[in-house]
Amino acid sequence: MSFESAGYQLLPVLPEIVLAVGAMALLMVGAYQGVRTTGLIVILALVLLVVAGVLELTLPAGKLVTFNGSFIVDDFARFLKIVALIGSGATLILSTEFLTDPSRRIFEYAILVLLSTLGMMILISAGDLIMLYLGLELMSLALYVVAASNRDDIKSTEAGLKYFVLGALSSGMLLYGASLIYGFTGTVSFAGISAAAKTGSLGIVFGIVFLLAGLCFKVSAVPFHMWTPDVYEGAPTPVTAFFASAPKVAAMAVFTRVALTAFPGIMPQWQQIVVFVSIASMALGSFAAIGQTNIKRLMAYSSIGHMGFALVGLAAGTAEGAQGVLVYVAIYVAMTLGTFTVILAMKRNGQHVEKISDFAGLSRTNPLLAFFFAMLLFSLAGVPPLAGFFGKFYVFVAAIKAGLFTLSVIGVLTSVIGAYYYLSIVKVMYFDEPLTELDPVRVELRAVLAVAGLFNIFFFVYPGPLVSMATVAAKSLF
């Protein structure tokens, strides 16, 4: 193989190579220089994420395939990789305060975020079952460690352990499904499976069930959501913000790619699974959150519900449905990061507060913070003209055009029920008697909140760029 052909083979994976080599280099710096380099490593990790994003955008246009078709860079992959990189970068910015605490200077934290992001990028570009599994495990193993990164806190350690045990179970199910699919089709590549799985034999259907069960765990869809509330509550808040944003993007990406490119011939079989999971997730996300008193647990149930809404678009099985999923995921990341920024900003006397009652009278003690939080909550509830409304609008329109009327009606009803608990937080902020003053909000939190909040409020003014990019990305799958 000549140097030119080797270079062309490696060109599509250049952003991933940069992240991998950069993470290894930072690990060496940390190992030799110790915890005093934590701040420097976080800054360099952010730089690496920016460089990877720039490289991703400067790759040649069109569909690039390497490693015998197991790694695909198309418009779909580019769009979601940029969203995942933004999610990871914002998480690192939100984590600076957590990492500067003298008792908790963990230089490995930023490196683990980088490695997890590398796994996400591999997952988004996976063209066969082996690459899918490699990306999924690289993403997940780093997440298990990050969940337990606050070693002195029993809740954080418990969160890491729960996530690890249940994650191992889901990996086993996914592998079993993959081995069944390989056994009945004789190939691991999505294109080969698509050609071989036109008939939908019983073995292949069983394989899909197990494969999708493993992926449902990663997007925390019902009935594989058990870990979400405990892990969200137990993990440090910046880590919870990470869990709720970037990994969801990657898991939703591979969910969509597997369903639409590996099994287009047997859509009725997997569509039933997706419709059931979607309805169950929307219903549980709406009802279970009503009784929560901890804001992080509430956000866990909220994220379960939102993944249900995103799956409505996938259930449609059309290019328009895939476009709806992409728009929804991008808006969801902005809403979630903004909300977790507000949760991180809630500090009294140097202590973080997480009870919903702690938000009482926030409109009088910090009107700007309360306004942005209220707008984010309205957006999560899907109130027009905020960004969250458009996310739901695109997935429901796609589902209606595909004839999934019952699913759409249930989706709208659960959205109305879900609005109750978002609005109850707004009521606490605006109508309850204020508690003592909050600590001043740090600069980096203000910056992230401003970007996420303004994107949410003004998305309706100019939705064109995001929607058109999502349309092009979705069409590249068909």
Side-chain angles (χ1 to χ4, degrees):
M1 188 166 71
S2 68
F3 272 122
E4 283 80 14
S5 66
Y8 184 73
Q9 281 272 314
L10 293 177
L11 182 66
V13 286
L14 192 58
E16 285 77 6
I17 291 171
V18 166
L19 272 188
V21 173
M24 291 299 108
L26 291 182
L27 189 59
M28 292 297 110
V29 171
Y32 284 106
Q33 297 296 317
V35 291
R36 64 175 183 275
T37 57
T38 305
L40 174 69
I41 287 176
V42 171
I43 293 165
L44 292 175
L46 270 169
V47 170
L48 277 170
L49 291 171
V50 172
V51 170
V54 171
L55 287 172
E56 196 62 56
L57 292 171
T58 50
L59 287 177
K63 187 175 182 178
L64 307 174
V65 180
T66 187
F67 304 142
N68 293 331
S70 63
F71 194 92
I72 301 165
V73 179
D74 50 10
D75 292 318
F76 177 81
R78 284 189 188 91
F79 179 91
L80 286 162
K81 282 183 185 180
I82 296 301
V83 176
L85 287 166
I86 291 169
S88 299
T91 307
L92 280 179
I93 295 170
L94 295 180
S95 306
T96 46
E97 184 190 5
F98 171 70
L99 296 173
T100 47
D101 185 330
S103 67
R104 253 199 322 256
R105 289 166 74 181
I106 319 163
F107 76 84
E108 304 94 335
Y109 179 91
I111 298 161
L112 287 164
V113 170
L114 279 183
L115 291 171
S116 184
T117 310
L118 172 62
M120 290 172 214
M121 293 178 76
I122 293 170
L123 191 56
I124 292 168
S125 281
D128 67 17
L129 295 170
I130 294 172
M131 193 63 85
L132 181 155
Y133 188 68
L134 277 175
L136 196 72
E137 284 306 289
L138 180 54
M139 172 180 97
S140 303
L141 287 169
L143 290 177
Y144 302 148
V145 184
V146 171
S149 57
N150 192 1
R151 287 171 291 213
D152 303 328
D153 181 14
I154 193 160
K155 270 191 168 179
S156 175
T157 322
E158 182 193 351
L161 193 62
K162 273 183 180 164
Y163 194 21
F164 171 65
V165 172
L166 291 165
L169 177 74
S170 80
S171 287
M173 291 169 80
L174 185 124
L175 272 180
Y176 182 56
S179 63
L180 279 174
I181 292 164
Y182 172 63
F184 281 91
T185 59
T187 175
V188 289
S189 86
F190 295 162
I193 292 167
S194 172
K198 291 237 176 0
T199 53
S201 71
L202 193 61
I204 294 173
V205 172
F206 263 97
I208 293 175
V209 170
F210 279 104
L211 189 73
L212 294 188
L215 293 175
C216 281
F217 178 89
K218 295 300 170 196
V219 295
S220 63
V222 178
F224 303 98
H225 64 285
M226 305 80 79
W227 61 276
T228 318
D230 292 343
V231 173
Y232 272 41
E233 185 185 3
T237 309
V239 175
T240 309
F242 185 45
F243 282 171
S245 54
K248 291 281 200 302
V249 174
M252 211 67 211
V254 77
F255 211 126
T256 309
R257 193 189 285 280
V258 167
L260 297 176
T261 62
F263 304 108
I266 49 173
M267 190 181 130
Q269 281 90 328
W270 62 256
Q271 191 182 39
Q272 292 171 25
I273 301 169
V274 174
V275 168
F276 165 74
V277 166
S278 173
I279 290 172
S281 301
M282 291 188 294
L284 183 109
S286 296
F287 287 104
I290 290 173
Q292 298 304 321
T293 55
N294 182 297
I295 187 77
K296 281 161 71 178
R297 281 187 86 84
L298 185 135
M299 286 307 294
Y301 286 111
S302 166
S303 86
I304 293 167
H306 282 289
M307 289 301 107
F309 288 118
L311 288 171
V312 171
L314 177 58
T318 57
E320 199 171 346
Q323 175 221 8
V325 174
L326 296 178
V327 172
Y328 199 97
V329 165
I331 290 171
Y332 166 78
V333 167
M335 295 189 296
T336 303
L337 287 170
T339 308
F340 276 102
T341 307
V342 176
I343 297 169
L344 277 165
M346 294 294 291
K347 282 184 84 177
R348 276 202 183 86
N349 310 322
Q351 293 296 313
H352 283 284
V353 290
E354 290 171 8
K355 288 268 181 282
I356 292 170
S357 55
D358 290 315
F359 288 87
L362 186 64
S363 62
R364 276 171 272 177
T365 54
N366 194 332
L368 192 61
L369 188 66
F371 170 74
F372 271 122
F373 193 32
M375 288 299 111
L376 288 160
L377 290 168
F378 282 134
S379 189
L380 284 164
V383 175
L386 299 166
F389 166 75
F390 289 92
K392 288 180 181 171
F393 175 77
Y394 283 110
V395 291
F396 287 146
V397 165
I400 289 165
K401 285 189 180 172
L404 300 170
F405 301 113
T406 312
L407 178 64
S408 307
V409 170
I410 293 171
V412 173
L413 290 174
T414 52
S415 193
V416 173
I417 295 160
Y420 167 77
Y421 60 82
Y422 295 122
L423 298 181
S424 66
I425 302 174
V426 177
K427 176 253 167 195
V428 169
M429 287 195 298
Y430 279 86
F431 297 108
D432 287 11
E433 282 305 307
L435 301 169
T436 52
E437 287 273 337
L438 289 172
D439 297 358
V441 181
R442 290 168 64 100
V443 178
E444 69 271 16
L445 296 182
R446 285 183 197 169
V448 175
L449 182 60
V451 173
L454 293 172
F455 169 82
N456 252 311
I457 296 166
F458 293 112
F459 178 77
F460 77 97
V461 178
Y462 194 46
L466 180 69
V467 175
S468 57
M469 283 190 288
T471 308
V472 172
K475 281 183 179 155
S476 70
L477 286 179
F478 290 85

